[in-house]
């Protein structure tokens, strides 16, 4: 065993002395799609109860208790480490109300955290933080994100893939350390992820329909080409439902989040640097390509990561720029808008760009940072990029304005 192997073995032993194996850790929230509900998830290393005590803020006592279940998980590493993943869904919440809570059991309780239940309906303005590629080593943007969260700046956080680097390293202890590190943020705001090759998800938030999907199925075909086909069919079914006139009137914005982008101008050999990128065009014979699918159903905004930088594209389809006008390119654009935001910070540092930007590339920034997105109403979205290198300076900002949504907006 090399030095790295011994470090993986010894360091967690040193750090964990005196801690209880039934003490909750890695606490995080997720939004189950119902504004009167919130799901709390945490980990213990011995079997324990799954209880959340909660009550409205301000208040001195927990007025309600909810119970859930725990699933035993055995890591695939050589130690075969066992842990218990607890999930409890809180129901009957008042939309927009702040709540205090703690999770665990009489064998050990978490500290007290607070969250705000999401608002109901479509006539409100969700505020989101968006980023990808945050690691356990060098998560440079995390302290600033934590300060933002403490100031109640976000309703939802979208982590667009690549966690910890990597979750399974050191018999999953790297993943454990990362989840503990993000707990102050993830236990306070619904922390919604873009999957690797695990599952797809969609949900409605205010006037937007957000779809999270896996790009990894295109690159790990040893798990089966059927995964590509099944996800593509799932995406099309959901887009068909989301674009029905009654649904699109209530949730006109359709926003996708996937890890590996279709386009990028970074100076590396990633898929997005290829003209016939797999995510964009699909498998050989152009099977299951996503660009045509998203264009067909009028997806408005596509969020990506993977490249450790920030890049904003002009409205683009099939390498052609379709700005709304020369003066206002993002007002009534005639193609989807792409944002690549993968510079939250990880051990692989930042990715450089090729010297000359492509004609479809509007702005490129090589700073650590993250994106803020506010869905103001049915016609306006505000996007801005925060530079952590420049002490939180907003280094980019655009209004995306659309009077029409759906494929009819392209013509």
């Amino acid at each position: 065993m090399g030095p790295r192997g011994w470090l993986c073995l010894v360091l967690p032993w040193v750090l964990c002395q005196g801690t209880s194996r039934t003490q909750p850790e890695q606490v995080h929230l997720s939004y189950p799609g119902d504004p009167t509900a919130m799901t709390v998830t945490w980990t213990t290393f011995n079997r324990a109860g799954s209880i959340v005590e909660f009550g409205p803020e301000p208040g001195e006592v927990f007025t309600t208790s909810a119970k859930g279940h725990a699933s035993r998980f055995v890591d695939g590493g050589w130690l075969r480490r066992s842990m218990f993943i607890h999930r409890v869904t809180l129901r009957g919440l008042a939309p927009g109300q702040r709540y205090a809570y703690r999770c665990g059991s009489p064998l050990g309780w978490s500290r007290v955290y607070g969250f705000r239940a999401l608002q109901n309906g479509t006539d409100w303005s969700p505020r989101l933080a968006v980023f990808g590629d945050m690691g356990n080593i060098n998560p440079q943007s995390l302290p600033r994100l934590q300060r933002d969260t403490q100031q109640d700046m976000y309703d939802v956080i979208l982590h667009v893939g690549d966690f910890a680097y990597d979750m399974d390293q050191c018999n999953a202890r790297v993943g454990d350390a990362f989840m503990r590190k993000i707990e102050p943020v993830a236990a306070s705001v619904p922390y919604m992820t873009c999957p690797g090759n695990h599952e797809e998800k969609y949900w409605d938030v205010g006037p937007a329909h957000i779809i999270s999907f896996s790009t990894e199925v295109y690159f790990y075909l040893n798990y089966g080409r059927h995964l590509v086909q099944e996800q593509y069919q799932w995406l099309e079914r959901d887009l068909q439902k989301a674009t029905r006139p009654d649904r699109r009137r209530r949730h006109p914005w359709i926003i996708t989040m996937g890890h590996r982008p279709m386009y990028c101008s970074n100076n590396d050999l990633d898929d997005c640097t290829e003209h016939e990128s797999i995510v964009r065009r699909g498998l050989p014979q152009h099977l299951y390509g996503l660009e045509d699918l998203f264009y067909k159903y009028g997806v408005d905004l596509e969020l990506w990561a993977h490249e450790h930088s920030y890049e904003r594209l002009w409205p683009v389809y099939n390498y052609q720029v379709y700005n709304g006008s020369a003066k206002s390119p993002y007002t009534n654009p005639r193609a989807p808008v792409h944002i690549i935001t993968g510079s939250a910070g990880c051990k692989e540092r930042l990715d450089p760009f090729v010297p000359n930007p492509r004609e479809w590339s509007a702005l490129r920034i090589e700073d650590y940072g993250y994106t803020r997105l506010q869905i103001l109403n049915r016609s306006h979205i505000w996007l801005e990029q925060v530079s952590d290198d420049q002490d939180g300076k907003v280094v980019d900002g655009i209004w995306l304005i659309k009077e029409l949504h759906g494929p009819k907006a392209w013509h």
Side-chain angles (χ1 to χ4, degrees):
M1 181 183 297
R4 184 176 177 183
W6 282 112
L7 184 65
C8 289
L9 204 62
V10 174
L11 183 59
W13 182 86
V14 173
L15 293 176
C16 294
Q17 295 311 294
T19 62
S20 169
R21 292 178 61 84
T22 55
Q23 179 69 31
E25 62 171 63
Q26 307 176 39
V27 181
H28 55 283
L29 301 175
S30 59
Y31 177 57
D34 176 359
T36 68
M38 189 71 71
T39 298
V40 186
T41 305
W42 69 95
T43 297
T44 62
F45 292 96
N46 278 353
R47 192 178 298 277
S50 305
I51 305 169
V52 176
E53 297 180 340
F54 63 103
E57 290 185 335
E60 300 297 325
V61 297
F62 300 119
T63 57
T64 310
S65 177
K67 293 184 178 181
H69 66 276
S71 301
R72 184 170 180 260
F73 173 78
V74 179
D75 175 62
W78 63 273
L79 284 180
R80 306 295 292 173
R81 293 174 66 232
S82 175
M83 61 198 74
F84 294 87
I85 312 299
H86 302 256
R87 290 183 179 86
V88 177
T89 297
L90 315 185
R91 303 191 184 278
L93 305 178
Q97 170 69 49
R98 282 200 62 85
Y99 289 87
Y101 76 97
R102 68 175 185 171
C103 60
S105 74
L107 297 177
W109 293 100
S110 72
R111 56 157 286 191
V112 176
Y113 284 107
F115 70 88
R116 185 182 301 279
L118 269 63
Q119 296 186 49
N120 204 356
T122 60
D123 294 323
W124 65 287
S125 303
R127 305 159 302 159
L128 298 86
V130 186
F131 55 86
D133 300 80
M134 180 182 284
N136 188 50
I137 297 174
N138 188 38
Q140 183 168 318
S141 300
L142 184 56
R144 192 172 304 281
L145 282 162
Q146 185 172 339
R147 289 196 292 272
D148 287 357
T149 301
Q150 290 167 345
Q151 295 170 21
D152 199 20
M153 291 181 62
Y154 306 120
D155 300 295
V156 177
I157 288 178
L158 304 182
H159 189 147
V160 193
D162 269 8
F163 314 88
Y165 286 79
D166 284 318
M167 296 290 279
D168 63 344
Q169 280 192 358
C170 293
N171 292 281
R173 287 191 170 109
V174 168
D176 291 340
F178 176 75
M179 294 303 294
R180 288 193 289 268
K181 193 168 286 186
I182 67 168
E183 181 176 310
V185 173
S188 305
V189 182
Y191 198 95
M192 310 303 286
T193 61
C194 171
N197 51 352
H198 299 292
E199 60 180 354
E200 313 89 4
K201 181 67 176 175
Y202 60 84
W203 62 94
D204 297 326
V205 179
H209 180 71
I210 301 176
I211 308 171
S212 172
F213 66 95
S214 173
T215 56
E216 304 310 290
V217 295
Y218 288 87
F219 298 91
Y220 292 91
L221 297 178
N222 52 307
Y223 290 103
R225 290 171 61 100
H226 69 282
L227 295 175
V228 182
Q229 179 185 23
E230 289 169 4
Q231 177 175 258
Y232 185 91
Q233 293 170 343
W234 173 86
L235 279 167
E236 182 151 38
R237 286 194 302 271
D238 182 65
L239 287 166
Q240 287 171 346
K241 294 176 185 175
T243 52
R244 290 200 306 247
D246 59 325
R247 289 268 309 157
R248 199 83 194 236
R249 276 194 298 271
R250 295 198 306 275
H251 307 284
W253 293 104
I254 295 181
I255 301 171
T256 62
M257 53 184 287
H259 183 58
R260 302 190 193 217
M262 297 182 190
Y263 298 85
C264 69
S265 62
N266 294 87
N267 192 12
D268 53 36
L269 300 177
D270 286 344
D271 177 61
C272 53
T273 65
E274 301 289 336
H275 190 275
E276 295 287 289
S277 72
I278 295 171
V279 173
R280 188 177 80 86
R281 297 294 280 160
L283 301 181
Q285 287 78 54
H286 296 159
L287 292 174
Y288 314 120
L290 295 178
E291 184 173 46
D292 286 345
L293 179 69
F294 291 170
Y295 185 82
K296 175 182 177 181
Y297 290 99
V299 170
D300 301 291
L301 178 63
E302 302 180 24
L303 303 172
W304 310 96
H306 192 60
E307 303 304 315
H308 302 162
S309 53
Y310 170 80
E311 187 165 15
R312 168 168 53 84
L313 275 56
W314 299 118
V316 62
Y317 171 67
N318 196 26
Y319 281 93
Q320 299 298 309
V321 172
Y322 291 98
N323 290 344
S325 67
K327 183 179 179 181
S328 303
Y330 297 101
T331 299
N332 297 318
R334 293 173 292 123
V337 174
H338 297 242
I339 300 290
I340 304 165
T341 175
S343 60
C346 68
K347 67 182 181 182
E348 295 178 358
R349 308 295 170 176
L350 296 169
D351 289 339
F353 292 103
V354 296
N356 298 315
R358 311 303 189 202
E359 60 277 5
W360 36 261
S361 180
L363 183 69
R364 310 183 304 173
I365 297 173
E366 283 184 60
D367 285 359
Y368 289 109
Y370 51 93
T371 305
R372 293 177 182 144
L373 186 161
Q374 184 170 18
I375 308 164
L376 197 69
N377 53 35
R378 288 172 169 78
S379 59
H380 287 64
I381 282 180
W382 172 252
L383 284 151
E384 66 182 28
Q385 181 68 7
V386 177
S387 169
D388 193 75
D389 287 341
Q390 300 184 50
D391 197 29
K393 179 181 178 181
V394 175
V395 290
D396 186 32
I398 64 162
W399 281 106
L400 175 56
I401 302 173
K402 299 192 71 169
E403 297 169 359
L404 287 175
H405 295 270
K408 60 181 178 294
W410 306 149
H411 306 291

